[in-house]
Amino acid sequence: MRIGILTSGGDCPGLNAVIRGAVLKGDRVYGHEFVGFRWGWKGVVEGDLMELPRHRVRGLSKEGGTILGSSRTNPYEAGGGPENIQKVLDKNGIDAIIAIGGEGTLTAARRLSDDGLKIVGVPKTIDNDIAATDYSFGFDTAVGIATEAIDRLRTTAESHARCMVVEVMGRYVGWIALHSGMAGGAHAILIPEVPASIEQVCEWVESVRDRGRAPVVVVSEGFHFPTMEGAHSHKGLDPFGRPLLGGIADLIAPMIEERTGIESRATVIGHIQRGGAPSAFDRVLATRLGIASVDAVQAGKWGTMVALRGTDVVDVSITEATRDLNAVPRRRWDEAALLFG
């Protein structure tokens, strides 16, 4: 078979490891050929591709980013759609697609699969917000980067007796904030799944100050106070119509300072969480998922996504993976609440 691979959506540590795992397994075991679509779904729609022989992927597991490039392109727009995409595949002799991406990418993959295209999905997101898989690669790396940032900001907070409000990514789930906040010893962790008022946050901050400590607050970009209509967004929408989040820390820090009198600063870690080499955990998980995706293609399991369940990699329906079932990390938040202060 001749298989096309794409990476779509935000870049993520471990993407190259998936590509490597898929190509090496497919070439050595099944004798498949591989091509890569450049710039995600955009390359599929436009027929922009590159050959992926085995020697091209050697040593890729430690490399960050993606050698194929990525974009947030909707394959149903700008000349796309299942019929036009199938023509591109037929013209280039491509039998199937391995789509590596997050919520938007996999939603598009589900629609195209329902419309008859042969697609297998691989979950990718630092946010860990894809249903049907326990973890997605990129998450572990992002948590490590955020934790290091919290550790560094704590020294500044202590030096100046300031309150530091650290904003991390995550969209509408709080996994990065929760794990990095617990690891970094934050005094408050604000996540979308657990409501908290500004009064409660200030009470936590003042309690820390009264004990002679410098407060550190970690907030997920999707968090919002009950008095707000929804998550803070001032950057417009992405090509899939989803709000681009970010900036909630810049709202919270002045509110804390005004109510408590404690000098407060906001730091938005942003895209640093996506960059650089993947952690060892993400390299291994991404490689396993890449290998499993080729097995799924070989077995003709179209419309499925490879996923991590416990310690096993299994096949699940992309429909199951893209339903609105973002896991609520409530239990771990309750554990974190015991550590506040």
Side-chain angles (χ1 to χ4, degrees):
M1 297 177 68
R2 185 168 163 87
I3 303 169
I5 301 178
L6 67 91
T7 56
S8 184
D11 66 302
C12 176
L15 282 169
N16 285 324
V18 177
I19 297 169
R20 173 180 174 271
V23 172
L24 291 183
K25 175 70 178 283
D27 176 86
R28 292 177 176 177
V29 177
Y30 300 122
H32 295 325
E33 296 181 5
F34 291 86
V35 298
F37 291 105
R38 294 186 177 94
W39 314 117
W41 290 117
K42 185 174 185 291
V44 177
V45 172
E46 298 177 356
D48 185 2
L49 50 85
M50 59 185 284
E51 297 293 328
L52 285 178
R54 190 169 70 184
H55 68 80
R56 181 67 182 83
V57 302
R58 288 173 179 164
L60 273 186
S61 61
K62 65 181 182 297
E63 302 293 336
T66 165
I67 61 170
L68 300 179
S70 188
S71 68
R72 300 185 187 276
T73 300
N74 189 333
Y76 279 83
E77 297 179 355
E83 293 183 0
N84 289 335
I85 290 176
Q86 188 61 60
K87 290 178 181 178
V88 171
L89 300 182
D90 293 340
K91 179 181 178 181
N92 292 279
I94 298 172
D95 301 296
I97 294 176
I98 294 176
I100 311 168
E103 178 189 4
T105 302
L106 294 174
T107 298
R110 183 199 67 204
R111 289 185 60 190
L112 291 171
S113 179
D114 290 344
D115 287 334
L117 272 66
K118 297 179 178 179
I119 300 178
V120 168
V122 178
K124 173 274 317 173
T125 171
I126 66 171
D127 303 326
N128 203 40
D129 63 350
I130 298 176
T133 186
D134 289 346
Y135 285 100
S136 54
F137 67 88
F139 170 69
D140 184 73
T141 304
V143 168
I145 293 169
T147 300
E148 181 180 357
I150 293 168
D151 290 344
R152 292 177 180 274
L153 288 167
R154 180 183 294 279
T155 63
T156 294
E158 296 286 355
S159 297
H160 295 273
R162 290 173 178 162
C163 172
M164 290 293 184
V165 182
V166 187
E167 179 181 318
V168 299
M169 287 180 166
R171 291 193 61 76
Y172 296 107
V173 300
W175 286 113
I176 296 178
L178 183 61
H179 280 233
S180 64
M182 290 179 70
H187 299 103
I189 303 172
L190 309 179
I191 61 176
E193 296 87 347
V194 182
S197 66
I198 183 60
E199 289 77 18
Q200 175 65 78
V201 174
C202 289
E203 182 180 328
W204 286 329
V205 167
E206 289 178 322
S207 174
V208 175
R209 185 268 315 272
D210 292 344
R211 297 196 306 274
R213 301 291 304 282
V216 175
V217 178
V218 176
V219 57
S220 174
E221 64 181 354
F223 172 82
H224 61 91
F225 292 117
T227 55
M228 300 169 62
E229 293 183 359
H232 179 65
S233 173
H234 64 279
K235 303 176 183 179
L237 305 176
D238 69 13
F240 293 95
R242 302 171 303 179
L244 297 170
L245 305 183
I248 184 64
D250 292 321
L251 298 182
I252 293 177
M255 296 170 71
I256 292 175
E257 183 166 335
E258 179 183 0
R259 286 167 170 77
T260 67
I262 302 172
E263 186 179 6
S264 302
R265 294 287 186 271
T267 298
V268 180
I269 303 178
H271 288 85
I272 293 175
Q273 293 159 93
R274 294 188 180 278
S279 66
F281 179 89
D282 282 339
R283 296 182 198 189
V284 173
L285 176 58
T287 300
R288 294 181 68 196
L289 293 175
I291 290 171
S293 69
V294 172
D295 291 336
V297 169
Q298 177 69 18
K301 296 181 178 179
W302 314 124
T304 64
M305 180 192 83
V306 293
L308 182 69
R309 295 283 183 86
T311 58
D312 298 325
V313 174
V314 299
D315 305 312
V316 299
S317 166
I318 296 183
T319 300
E320 179 184 356
T322 54
R323 71 176 185 262
D324 188 17
L325 193 67
N326 291 337
V328 179
R330 178 79 203 198
R331 181 177 61 82
R332 294 187 193 176
W333 187 89
D334 289 339
E335 294 170 353
L338 297 175
L339 304 176
F340 284 176

